[in-house]
Amino acid sequence: MKIAFVGKGGSGKTTLSSLFIRHLAANEAHVIAVDADINQHLGAALGLDEAEAAALPAMGAHLPLIKDYLRGTNPRIASAETMIKTTPPGEGSRLLRVREDNPVYDACARTVRLDDGDIRLMATGPFAESDLGVACYHSKVGAVELCLNHLVDGRDEYVVVDMTAGSDSFASGMFTRFDMTFLVAEPTRKGVSVYRQYKEYARDFGVTLKVVGNKVQGPDDLDFLRAEVGEDLLVGVGHSDWVRSMEKGRPSRFELLEADNRMALQALQDAAEDSYELRDWERYTRQMVHFHLKNAESWGNEKTGADLAAQVDPAFVLGERHAGAGVPAPA
């Protein structure tokens, strides 16, 4: 399942996404974690030291390799150079699977050992000084979107993405790439403002959205969130001495996380598993094509000098039937 964590800056979405990742690993799920935020903090939240976090490879820096691998033998894609972030797969494309080894993971993923299991961590890469004034950050997360478009995942397989803060996710079609979106909101007017934006933007795309109240101090905070977001409120998360110790660089074993917070994380996993039954691969593929055609017309055709609408394979529908199939990886 593909899971997104979104919310305004400072809401605690990175902390909660890291706790959810730890929880999944403890429950023996197969997990790929992706840091797609402009502020790259997920590695540190998962226990990497400063040097280890800085050494994570940037997906954006490996975009040519990613494109070349995913293109495979797809006859509709003339070259890797004509692929853009929204290019959908078709017959002959190589697809990514959570439990495999491939050149994309070799280049872009690193194994992180947690208390109760290992996960793969990928990062879009930081916004470097050389990008200032000449690059858009959303071009960097294009590598994440392209990989999600070519990913086949099943039950007990999780891709957890810590998204960029606020409503910036709507600058591309990536917000439709998920089975479940957890919006982290503090119990304040500012805290729920991003929820309203997200709810409005996502309304026409069938996005499954649940609100996770963070920094909840009592029943009054929960009542406030419930009044503002209604049935979208899934659970509230309160203060954690465990998290405070981790942020000070003195982490204890994850099994010592407070019982109330462990129960909240289980509620997130239960909601994610329920969303699995709602999967609609035809809609998923249709939305991929929709955003690809929009991007092609808006800027892609001009940038690549090609008619990118021709990349769409009308007979292709991505789905779990593709698990284990496709073009083999190059030797």
Side-chain angles (χ1 to χ4, degrees):
M1 284 158 280
K2 305 177 186 73
I3 310 295
F5 278 80
V6 301
K8 78 174 185 66
S11 64
K13 68 178 179 60
T14 297
T15 297
L16 279 172
S17 62
S18 71
L19 291 176
F20 184 61
I21 290 163
R22 290 177 185 270
H23 173 80
L24 293 174
N27 285 351
E28 300 183 344
H30 299 270
V31 183
I32 294 176
V34 182
D35 192 342
D37 195 353
I38 189 169
N39 298 305
Q40 303 273 283
H41 295 315
L42 184 58
L46 290 169
L48 299 186
D49 62 31
E50 187 174 334
E52 290 171 327
L56 288 172
M59 294 178 69
H62 293 282
L63 194 52
L65 178 150
I66 293 171
K67 290 180 176 181
D68 192 58
Y69 178 77
L70 296 178
R71 181 170 70 98
T73 59
N74 187 334
R76 295 177 178 274
I77 304 175
S79 68
E81 289 73 22
T82 62
M83 293 181 75
I84 61 174
K85 63 181 182 178
T86 55
T87 295
E91 192 67 33
S93 296
R94 290 193 184 95
L95 304 177
L96 302 175
R97 296 161 192 87
V98 172
R99 306 189 215 185
E100 70 174 2
D101 294 318
N102 59 55
V104 174
Y105 295 161
D106 290 344
C108 302
R110 295 295 179 265
T111 298
V112 176
R113 288 178 169 78
L114 304 175
D115 292 344
D116 300 300
D118 297 346
I119 60 107
R120 275 176 168 150
L121 175 61
M122 305 172 75
T124 189
F127 199 63
E129 185 177 346
S130 60
D131 296 320
L132 295 176
V134 297
C136 171
Y137 180 73
H138 299 104
S139 66
K140 290 183 171 292
V141 299
V144 179
E145 185 169 357
L146 193 58
C147 286
L148 289 176
N149 282 356
H150 290 74
L151 180 72
V152 179
D153 55 308
R155 192 183 295 273
D156 298 325
E157 296 178 336
Y158 284 84
V159 180
V160 181
V161 182
D162 182 22
M163 299 281 278
T164 189
S167 56
D168 284 357
S169 306
F170 293 99
S172 73
M174 197 159 72
F175 73 98
T176 65
R177 304 295 87 208
F178 302 101
D179 298 294
M180 172 64 72
T181 297
F182 291 126
L183 190 143
V184 180
E186 300 167 83
T188 64
R189 292 175 64 186
K190 287 185 178 179
V192 298
S193 62
V194 173
Y195 160 78
R196 293 198 182 94
Q197 286 180 302
Y198 228 99
K199 185 75 171 178
E200 181 65 27
Y201 293 155
R203 190 181 308 277
D204 296 331
F205 294 95
V207 173
T208 303
L209 179 68
K210 290 295 181 182
V211 174
V212 181
N214 195 27
K215 307 176 186 178
V216 172
Q217 297 183 7
D220 183 65
D221 285 345
L222 281 176
D223 289 344
F224 172 82
L225 287 170
R226 195 171 290 111
E228 294 292 329
V229 309
E231 294 182 355
D232 285 341
L233 179 63
L234 177 63
V235 71
V237 178
H239 172 78
S240 171
D241 289 331
W242 189 95
V243 170
R244 181 61 61 87
S245 294
M246 179 195 70
E247 291 175 340
K248 291 178 179 178
R250 299 194 293 256
S252 55
R253 290 192 61 80
F254 183 65
E255 64 189 20
L256 300 177
L257 180 71
E258 299 84 1
D260 287 350
N261 290 329
R262 291 294 294 265
M263 291 176 63
L265 294 173
Q266 186 59 52
L268 267 63
Q269 184 175 2
D270 292 344
E273 290 177 350
D274 288 344
S275 73
Y276 180 84
E277 306 302 331
L278 303 175
R279 284 189 148 192
D280 184 343
W281 287 101
E282 289 189 2
R283 185 185 69 187
Y284 188 87
T285 305
R286 187 168 62 250
Q287 289 175 343
M288 266 196 290
V289 170
H290 169 77
F291 284 104
H292 179 62
L293 294 177
K294 285 187 66 175
N295 279 266
E297 183 178 356
S298 176
W299 60 272
N301 290 343
E302 182 178 357
K303 181 176 180 179
T304 63
D307 177 13
L308 300 186
Q311 293 179 342
V312 176
D313 184 341
F316 185 88
V317 177
L318 188 66
E320 288 174 56
R321 70 186 185 283
H322 293 111
V327 179

